[in-house]
Amino acid sequence: MTDSSQAQAVDKNVEEVGSRYFLPRNLEEAERMQNQHEWLKGGANGLILAPIDLNRSGLRVLDAATADGYWMQDVKSIFPKDAEFVGFDNASQSVPRSPEGYPPLKDSSQFQIVKQNLVEEFPAEWKDSFDLVHQRFVIPLFKTEEVPLVLRNLIRCVKPGGWIQLVEMDFQTPVSKPIESCPAVQAVHKLTSTVVSDPLASTKLAGRLNDEGLVNVGYKAIEMVAGSSNSDPELGARGKRNMLSVLGFFQSVAKPEMIGMTEEEWKTLPERFAKEMDEHHVALNVYFVWGQKPEAR
C-alpha cells in the first residue's frame, strides 16, 4: 500500500468510526465497560475528583453517554439519598446489563435514562439544571470540529455554580516502562492513535473548559496500570482484561497495513501485548478534568 492509499484508508476509517461510539452493544461489551469502571475507580480511588459539595440536598446529576447506567448506580452511594440522576445515550438499542451488575434502573425512582445524541440539541429543560454533569470516554471519538459543540451542549446543562467532570484516556503518550522493551505496547498506541479522531484530546480538555468561560478548572492525570506491575493484583488483572478487550475491538475496525504490520504481526499482537503486561510496567494516563460554571450575576 502506498503512503497515499494508506492515508486514505486511515482517513476513511476515522470518518466511519472516529466521531461516534463504535464498540458493539452486547452483553460482552456491557461486562467490559463494568470491568473498566471498576479498574478506573480503583486506580483513581474514587469516581468524582471535581470539588463538588456532596453533602447538599436536592443535587441533580447528568451522566452523558451513560450506556447501561452503571456509573450512576455506583456513584449514588456517595450522594445524599434525595439526589436525582439522569443519564443519556445515543444507542439505538439499550445496552444489556450483566447478570452480575446492578438491578435494572427502572426499579428506582432516582434514575432515568433517555436517548440523546451529544451533537444534537438537548432538551430545553436541561439548561442550567444539573449540579454535576459527568462524561467519560467519548471525546476522542469526535472530530476536532465537533468537540466544542459537545462541550457547549454539556456545559449548558450545568447550573450556575455547578460542576462538569470529564474523564478521558491519553491514547498517545507512552508511560509504560521500559518503553523500548514494549514493542507491542507501542504498536497498540499507534493503532489507537490511528483510529480515534484525536488521541491527545484528554490533554486539551482543561484548556477547552477555560476557553468556554468556566472557572476553577483543574485536572489530574491518573496512571492506570494494567498487568502484573499493579500493586493491587485484582486491579492489574482488570486492567489487563480491559486492554485486551479494547485491542480486540480496535483490531476489528482496522487493518494491519494501516500501522505498517504484517498479517502475522497483527495476528500475534494480542499475545505479545499480554506478555508485556505480565513482564513490564504497562500503563496509560487517564485525565480527570473539571470546571465550575460561574455564578449568575
Side-chain angles (χ1 to χ4, degrees):
M1 178 178 284
T2 66
D3 289 344
S4 176
S5 58
Q6 180 175 334
Q8 290 175 356
V10 171
D11 289 344
K12 184 175 187 297
N13 200 59
V14 169
E15 181 180 352
E16 290 175 350
V17 302
S19 65
R20 296 291 182 268
Y21 188 87
F22 59 90
L23 298 180
R25 299 287 180 172
N26 56 29
L27 182 57
E28 181 182 6
E29 171 60 2
E31 291 174 342
R32 184 201 68 77
M33 287 191 295
Q34 292 175 10
N35 174 70
Q36 178 177 259
H37 170 97
E38 298 297 339
W39 178 43
L40 181 63
K41 177 183 176 182
N45 195 30
L47 295 171
I48 297 177
L49 301 189
I52 181 175
D53 181 1
L54 298 175
N55 296 314
R56 291 189 294 112
S57 63
L59 291 173
R60 299 189 75 227
V61 179
L62 180 67
D63 186 32
T66 193
D68 66 353
Y70 193 89
W71 181 89
M72 294 192 297
Q73 193 82 318
D74 189 10
V75 82
K76 74 178 178 65
S77 63
I78 66 173
F79 279 82
K81 291 184 178 181
D82 65 348
E84 179 186 348
F85 297 84
V86 177
F88 71 85
D89 203 276
N90 71 342
S92 57
Q93 72 268 31
S94 61
V95 178
R97 298 179 65 77
S98 165
E100 298 178 357
Y102 292 109
L105 294 177
K106 65 183 180 181
D107 291 347
S108 173
S109 60
Q110 280 185 283
F111 301 95
Q112 179 186 13
I113 292 182
V114 298
K115 184 178 178 181
Q116 175 64 46
N117 192 303
L118 276 162
V119 295
E120 295 176 354
E121 186 176 357
F122 281 19
E125 61 269 23
W126 287 3
K127 187 176 186 296
D128 297 333
S129 183
F130 295 92
D131 300 277
L132 175 67
V133 172
H134 171 264
Q135 177 270 303
R136 184 169 70 179
F137 301 149
V138 172
I139 296 295
L141 300 177
F142 282 89
K143 298 175 183 177
T144 300
E145 60 268 26
E146 291 179 309
V147 173
L149 173 59
V150 171
L151 294 181
R152 286 166 193 163
N153 278 342
L154 293 174
I155 291 169
R156 285 192 193 102
C157 298
V158 182
K159 289 180 180 178
W163 295 85
I164 184 170
Q165 176 178 283
L166 309 168
V167 183
E168 297 293 354
M169 293 182 182
D170 177 350
F171 286 95
Q172 186 166 299
T173 307
V175 293
S176 301
K177 299 179 284 192
I179 192 62
E180 62 272 12
S181 300
C182 301
V185 171
Q186 294 181 61
V188 171
H189 274 297
K190 189 173 182 180
L191 173 61
T192 55
S193 295
T194 298
V195 174
V196 300
S197 289
D198 184 357
L200 291 173
S202 61
T203 68
K204 303 171 185 177
L205 287 174
R208 287 187 178 277
L209 293 187
N210 275 313
D211 291 344
E212 294 299 330
L214 297 193
V215 297
N216 299 318
V217 173
Y219 73 91
K220 185 175 183 179
I222 307 293
E223 187 172 294
M224 298 296 299
V225 181
S228 62
S229 65
N230 194 311
S231 59
D232 184 323
E234 181 182 351
L235 289 180
R238 285 189 180 277
K240 179 180 178 181
R241 187 160 65 249
N242 183 72
M243 298 288 272
L244 288 172
S245 295
V246 170
L247 171 59
F249 289 130
F250 273 94
Q251 285 189 298
S252 73
V253 298
K255 300 182 187 306
E257 57 266 27
M258 292 172 63
I259 58 171
M261 273 193 168
T262 66
E263 288 287 350
E264 181 61 24
E265 289 171 331
W266 184 258
K267 181 179 179 181
T268 61
L269 181 57
E271 179 183 351
R272 292 184 288 116
F273 188 36
K275 188 171 185 291
E276 289 177 7
M277 285 189 280
D278 288 338
E279 296 179 350
H280 302 293
H281 179 88
V282 175
L284 53 78
N285 274 338
V286 173
Y287 280 75
F288 282 70
V289 185
W290 57 84
Q292 186 179 30
K293 180 178 279 190
E295 293 280 2
R297 293 181 179 178

